[in-house]
Amino acid sequence: MRKHLIKYKVTTWYMIVLIAIVLLLISSILALSKQYITQEAKTELNDEVNDLCKKFLSCDDILAEIMNLHFYDDGVILSIYNKEETLLDGIHPDDFPVNLTFSEGKIREVKENENFWLVLDQSIINQGRKYCIRGVYTLNLIDGMTKKVISYMLLMVPFLIIFTAYIGYRLIQKSLEPIFFMTKTVNNITKSSDLSLRVPNVTSKDELGYLSETFNYMLKHLEDIFNREVQFTSDAAHELRTPISVIISHCEYCLSDLELSEQVREELDIISQKAVRMSDMVSQLLLIARAESNRFKPDFEQTDIRLLTETVLEELQEKADDKKIRLKLNCTQQEVIINCDFNLMMRLLINLIENAIQYGRKEGFVDVTIQCDNEQCLIKVRDDGIGIPDEAQDKIWNRFYRVDSSHSAENGFGLGLFMVKWIVTLHQGTIELKSSTELGSIFNISIPM
Ligand code: ADP
């Protein structure tokens, strides 16, 4: 699984932003509501204490008035003291410090043992006597409520975040799905070299829809260019075929004349050899053009690959003898039957073994090993020749690519390994090269059974 996919990145950032917003929102709601409730409590406390002060100021007998008083109103608890600060009547909240000294006219916040109160003291003079009125508002309730809200939130928020993150992830995944299909199609095109494939059309008129349209337009354009090139190769090869055949047949005709001078015979021989080479190249080009236009239909049949290799080795024995190269087949099975196109498989073996001889060391060796089990057939062609330099190893599969002239045979075209790769791919196999300029080259081919 790839960790750096956009869907993971976006979901992570989205979650971080979401958590930050939720935390900011909760803390500001709590701070504001606490401030609001405290403000309300202060107003209430002020009103209740002032109301009582007014009532006492206008009455004749405070002590008689006290008898009819309610000491608890709208959350405010009231008490009355004389000028010596002795309690005359009234109540206190539980745990309130009864000996708290008076502080005239200003709302104070008093805290003790986790309890929290707002306190307002106000003094009045009635009939020459001083009285003190104390109002207390318990804030524990607000604190308790805040704590409850926080714990509830802490419990809920993780679920909320996981849920929203999941929904966000699914939405991003859904909206990025077309990119996944586009990547898959592009990979398929790379693997199969089939430029007729198109990325699925995204119906939406958004950026992805536009991207898929652009992709398909580009693929169509590439396919056109490619088809034109293949068509040109095919046409050129066709046009060359006839004149080359004419040259070859005329050379043969002239060579049959016994009265020819030795020098003319030699010249005609050279012309004939070059024409045969050209004819070979034209055949290969035609085959490649057919292969690349996907018009080629392989003719699969049960083939004894051991027998075929023996035949190819026999055919190339003379070339090997010229360089005193030892040709050898290693195969423990009497017959190895695989399902393949006979002609193409023969072309593959010729190209590889011919190269091994051509680029092999004088008095060296070329070993062909065949090993098959129920799943795959492994063909290994090994030589102890000049090898292929590291920097050229990726390029030798390209059309017309040849390592520099000191490495390449005079009569090559640079089409041999391109065809080998194409034949292997057509048989759904793989080919791998191990080569060094000191030890020579090994081509490992694996064809599924
Ligand atoms: P060519 O017709 O030139 O042989 P190929 O496609 O068969 O074309 O090979 C491409 C190039 O790869 C050759 O020019 C040669 O330099 C190099 N090459 C191929 N096979 C071998 C080998 N067995 N050892 C060394 N070099 C090789």
Short mmCIF file of all heavy atoms in Angstrom, two decimals, residues 351-352 355-356 358-359 383 386-388 396 401-404 407-409 412-418 441 443, ligand 1:
data_model
loop_
_atom_site.label_atom_id
_atom_site.label_comp_id
_atom_site.label_asym_id
_atom_site.label_seq_id
_atom_site.Cartn_x
_atom_site.Cartn_y
_atom_site.Cartn_z
N ASN A 351 18.14 -15.60 -33.70
CA ASN A 351 18.67 -14.27 -33.36
C ASN A 351 19.61 -14.33 -32.16
O ASN A 351 20.69 -13.74 -32.17
CB ASN A 351 17.53 -13.29 -33.06
CG ASN A 351 16.81 -12.86 -34.32
OD1 ASN A 351 17.12 -13.34 -35.41
ND2 ASN A 351 15.86 -11.96 -34.20
N LEU A 352 19.20 -15.05 -31.12
CA LEU A 352 20.01 -15.09 -29.89
C LEU A 352 21.31 -15.86 -30.11
O LEU A 352 22.40 -15.40 -29.73
CB LEU A 352 19.23 -15.70 -28.74
CG LEU A 352 18.15 -14.82 -28.10
CD1 LEU A 352 17.46 -15.56 -26.98
CD2 LEU A 352 18.76 -13.53 -27.56
N ASN A 355 23.68 -14.07 -32.50
CA ASN A 355 24.37 -12.98 -31.80
C ASN A 355 25.48 -13.52 -30.91
O ASN A 355 26.58 -12.96 -30.87
CB ASN A 355 23.38 -12.21 -30.91
CG ASN A 355 22.64 -11.13 -31.67
OD1 ASN A 355 22.96 -10.87 -32.82
ND2 ASN A 355 21.65 -10.52 -31.04
N ALA A 356 25.16 -14.62 -30.20
CA ALA A 356 26.15 -15.19 -29.26
C ALA A 356 27.41 -15.61 -30.04
O ALA A 356 28.54 -15.43 -29.55
CB ALA A 356 25.55 -16.38 -28.53
N GLN A 358 28.24 -14.35 -33.12
CA GLN A 358 28.80 -13.13 -33.72
C GLN A 358 29.63 -12.31 -32.71
O GLN A 358 30.69 -11.81 -33.03
CB GLN A 358 27.66 -12.26 -34.21
CG GLN A 358 27.85 -11.81 -35.62
CD GLN A 358 26.52 -11.46 -36.25
OE1 GLN A 358 25.61 -10.98 -35.58
NE2 GLN A 358 26.38 -11.74 -37.53
N TYR A 359 29.10 -12.20 -31.50
CA TYR A 359 29.79 -11.38 -30.49
C TYR A 359 30.56 -12.26 -29.50
O TYR A 359 30.98 -11.80 -28.45
CB TYR A 359 28.79 -10.48 -29.75
CG TYR A 359 28.00 -9.63 -30.71
CD1 TYR A 359 26.65 -9.89 -30.99
CD2 TYR A 359 28.63 -8.58 -31.39
CE1 TYR A 359 25.95 -9.12 -31.90
CE2 TYR A 359 27.92 -7.81 -32.31
CZ TYR A 359 26.59 -8.09 -32.56
OH TYR A 359 25.91 -7.33 -33.47
N ASP A 383 27.10 -16.92 -23.62
CA ASP A 383 28.36 -16.90 -24.37
C ASP A 383 29.44 -16.28 -23.52
O ASP A 383 29.16 -15.68 -22.47
CB ASP A 383 28.20 -16.14 -25.70
CG ASP A 383 27.91 -14.67 -25.49
OD1 ASP A 383 28.78 -13.96 -24.96
OD2 ASP A 383 26.79 -14.22 -25.84
N ILE A 386 32.20 -10.63 -26.00
CA ILE A 386 32.61 -9.27 -25.64
C ILE A 386 31.70 -8.61 -24.62
O ILE A 386 32.04 -7.60 -24.03
CB ILE A 386 32.69 -8.36 -26.89
CG1 ILE A 386 31.36 -8.36 -27.63
CG2 ILE A 386 33.81 -8.82 -27.82
CD1 ILE A 386 31.29 -7.32 -28.73
N GLY A 387 30.50 -9.19 -24.40
CA GLY A 387 29.56 -8.63 -23.42
C GLY A 387 28.96 -7.31 -23.88
O GLY A 387 29.36 -6.74 -24.90
N ILE A 388 27.98 -6.83 -23.10
CA ILE A 388 27.30 -5.58 -23.45
C ILE A 388 27.55 -4.58 -22.32
O ILE A 388 27.28 -4.90 -21.16
CB ILE A 388 25.79 -5.82 -23.65
CG1 ILE A 388 25.59 -6.85 -24.77
CG2 ILE A 388 25.04 -4.53 -23.97
CD1 ILE A 388 24.20 -7.39 -24.89
N ILE A 396 19.41 -2.01 -25.85
CA ILE A 396 19.58 -2.98 -26.94
C ILE A 396 18.26 -3.57 -27.44
O ILE A 396 18.21 -4.14 -28.51
CB ILE A 396 20.49 -4.16 -26.52
CG1 ILE A 396 20.01 -4.72 -25.20
CG2 ILE A 396 21.94 -3.75 -26.45
CD1 ILE A 396 20.56 -6.08 -24.93
N TYR A 401 18.76 -0.18 -32.59
CA TYR A 401 19.83 0.21 -31.67
C TYR A 401 20.99 -0.79 -31.77
O TYR A 401 20.79 -2.00 -31.76
CB TYR A 401 19.34 0.25 -30.21
CG TYR A 401 20.46 0.65 -29.28
CD1 TYR A 401 20.81 1.98 -29.11
CD2 TYR A 401 21.22 -0.32 -28.63
CE1 TYR A 401 21.88 2.35 -28.31
CE2 TYR A 401 22.29 0.04 -27.83
CZ TYR A 401 22.62 1.38 -27.68
OH TYR A 401 23.68 1.74 -26.90
N ARG A 402 22.17 -0.26 -31.88
CA ARG A 402 23.35 -1.11 -31.91
C ARG A 402 24.38 -0.45 -31.00
O ARG A 402 24.53 0.77 -31.00
CB ARG A 402 23.91 -1.23 -33.33
CG ARG A 402 22.82 -1.57 -34.34
CD ARG A 402 23.38 -1.88 -35.70
NE ARG A 402 24.09 -3.14 -35.68
CZ ARG A 402 25.11 -3.42 -36.48
NH1 ARG A 402 25.52 -2.51 -37.34
NH2 ARG A 402 25.71 -4.58 -36.42
N VAL A 403 25.08 -1.27 -30.22
CA VAL A 403 26.15 -0.73 -29.40
C VAL A 403 27.21 -0.22 -30.39
O VAL A 403 27.20 -0.61 -31.56
CB VAL A 403 26.72 -1.84 -28.48
CG1 VAL A 403 27.74 -1.27 -27.49
CG2 VAL A 403 25.59 -2.53 -27.73
N ASP A 404 28.11 0.64 -29.96
CA ASP A 404 29.02 1.28 -30.92
C ASP A 404 29.67 0.28 -31.90
O ASP A 404 29.71 -0.92 -31.64
CB ASP A 404 30.10 2.10 -30.19
CG ASP A 404 30.94 1.20 -29.33
OD1 ASP A 404 31.59 0.32 -29.87
OD2 ASP A 404 30.91 1.37 -28.09
N HIS A 407 31.60 -2.75 -31.12
CA HIS A 407 30.90 -3.85 -30.46
C HIS A 407 29.97 -4.60 -31.40
O HIS A 407 29.57 -5.72 -31.11
CB HIS A 407 30.04 -3.30 -29.31
CG HIS A 407 30.77 -3.29 -28.02
ND1 HIS A 407 31.64 -2.30 -27.67
CD2 HIS A 407 30.75 -4.17 -27.00
CE1 HIS A 407 32.12 -2.56 -26.47
NE2 HIS A 407 31.59 -3.69 -26.03
N SER A 408 29.55 -3.93 -32.49
CA SER A 408 28.48 -4.53 -33.29
C SER A 408 29.02 -5.19 -34.56
O SER A 408 30.01 -4.74 -35.14
CB SER A 408 27.47 -3.45 -33.68
OG SER A 408 26.96 -2.89 -32.50
N ALA A 409 28.28 -6.24 -34.98
CA ALA A 409 28.71 -6.96 -36.17
C ALA A 409 28.45 -6.09 -37.39
O ALA A 409 27.52 -5.29 -37.41
CB ALA A 409 27.91 -8.25 -36.29
N GLY A 412 24.90 -6.43 -39.10
CA GLY A 412 23.66 -6.40 -38.30
C GLY A 412 22.81 -5.20 -38.65
O GLY A 412 23.26 -4.25 -39.29
N PHE A 413 21.52 -5.26 -38.22
CA PHE A 413 20.62 -4.12 -38.45
C PHE A 413 20.15 -3.49 -37.15
O PHE A 413 19.51 -2.46 -37.14
CB PHE A 413 19.35 -4.57 -39.20
CG PHE A 413 19.60 -5.27 -40.48
CD1 PHE A 413 19.17 -6.58 -40.66
CD2 PHE A 413 20.26 -4.62 -41.50
CE1 PHE A 413 19.39 -7.22 -41.85
CE2 PHE A 413 20.48 -5.28 -42.70
CZ PHE A 413 20.05 -6.59 -42.87
N GLY A 414 20.39 -4.17 -36.03
CA GLY A 414 19.86 -3.67 -34.75
C GLY A 414 18.39 -4.01 -34.60
O GLY A 414 17.66 -3.35 -33.85
N LEU A 415 17.92 -5.05 -35.32
CA LEU A 415 16.51 -5.44 -35.21
C LEU A 415 16.34 -6.77 -34.46
O LEU A 415 15.25 -7.10 -34.01
CB LEU A 415 15.90 -5.60 -36.62
CG LEU A 415 15.71 -4.32 -37.42
CD1 LEU A 415 15.21 -4.65 -38.82
CD2 LEU A 415 14.72 -3.41 -36.74
N GLY A 416 17.45 -7.51 -34.33
CA GLY A 416 17.37 -8.88 -33.79
C GLY A 416 16.78 -8.94 -32.40
O GLY A 416 15.80 -9.66 -32.15
N LEU A 417 17.34 -8.16 -31.46
CA LEU A 417 16.87 -8.25 -30.07
C LEU A 417 15.49 -7.60 -29.91
O LEU A 417 14.71 -8.02 -29.05
CB LEU A 417 17.88 -7.59 -29.13
CG LEU A 417 19.17 -8.39 -28.97
CD1 LEU A 417 20.13 -7.70 -28.01
CD2 LEU A 417 18.91 -9.81 -28.48
N PHE A 418 15.19 -6.60 -30.77
CA PHE A 418 13.85 -6.01 -30.74
C PHE A 418 12.82 -7.10 -31.04
O PHE A 418 11.79 -7.22 -30.37
CB PHE A 418 13.77 -4.88 -31.78
CG PHE A 418 12.38 -4.32 -31.93
CD1 PHE A 418 11.89 -3.39 -31.03
CD2 PHE A 418 11.56 -4.75 -32.97
CE1 PHE A 418 10.60 -2.89 -31.16
CE2 PHE A 418 10.27 -4.25 -33.10
CZ PHE A 418 9.80 -3.32 -32.20
N SER A 441 27.78 -12.74 -22.04
CA SER A 441 26.36 -12.42 -21.85
C SER A 441 25.54 -13.68 -21.60
O SER A 441 25.83 -14.75 -22.12
CB SER A 441 25.79 -11.73 -23.09
OG SER A 441 26.62 -10.65 -23.45
N PHE A 443 21.36 -14.58 -21.77
CA PHE A 443 19.96 -14.18 -22.00
C PHE A 443 19.07 -15.26 -21.40
O PHE A 443 19.15 -16.43 -21.80
CB PHE A 443 19.67 -14.04 -23.50
CG PHE A 443 20.32 -12.83 -24.12
CD1 PHE A 443 21.63 -12.86 -24.58
CD2 PHE A 443 19.61 -11.63 -24.22
CE1 PHE A 443 22.21 -11.74 -25.15
CE2 PHE A 443 20.19 -10.50 -24.79
CZ PHE A 443 21.50 -10.55 -25.25
P1 ADP B 1 22.43 -6.62 -34.52
O1 ADP B 1 21.76 -6.90 -35.79
O2 ADP B 1 23.25 -5.40 -34.53
O3 ADP B 1 23.13 -7.81 -33.94
P2 ADP B 1 20.63 -6.92 -32.31
O4 ADP B 1 19.34 -6.24 -32.01
O5 ADP B 1 20.62 -8.39 -32.43
O6 ADP B 1 21.21 -6.22 -33.58
O7 ADP B 1 21.64 -6.53 -31.18
C1 ADP B 1 21.75 -5.18 -30.78
C2 ADP B 1 23.18 -4.92 -30.28
O8 ADP B 1 23.36 -5.61 -29.05
C3 ADP B 1 24.23 -5.43 -31.18
O9 ADP B 1 24.61 -4.44 -32.10
C4 ADP B 1 25.37 -5.78 -30.25
O10 ADP B 1 26.20 -4.67 -30.06
C5 ADP B 1 24.67 -6.09 -28.95
N1 ADP B 1 24.57 -7.57 -28.69
C6 ADP B 1 23.53 -8.38 -28.97
N2 ADP B 1 23.79 -9.64 -28.55
C7 ADP B 1 25.02 -9.61 -27.99
C8 ADP B 1 25.87 -10.60 -27.37
N3 ADP B 1 25.49 -11.88 -27.23
N4 ADP B 1 27.06 -10.20 -26.89
C9 ADP B 1 27.47 -8.92 -27.04
N5 ADP B 1 26.73 -7.94 -27.60
C10 ADP B 1 25.52 -8.29 -28.09
#
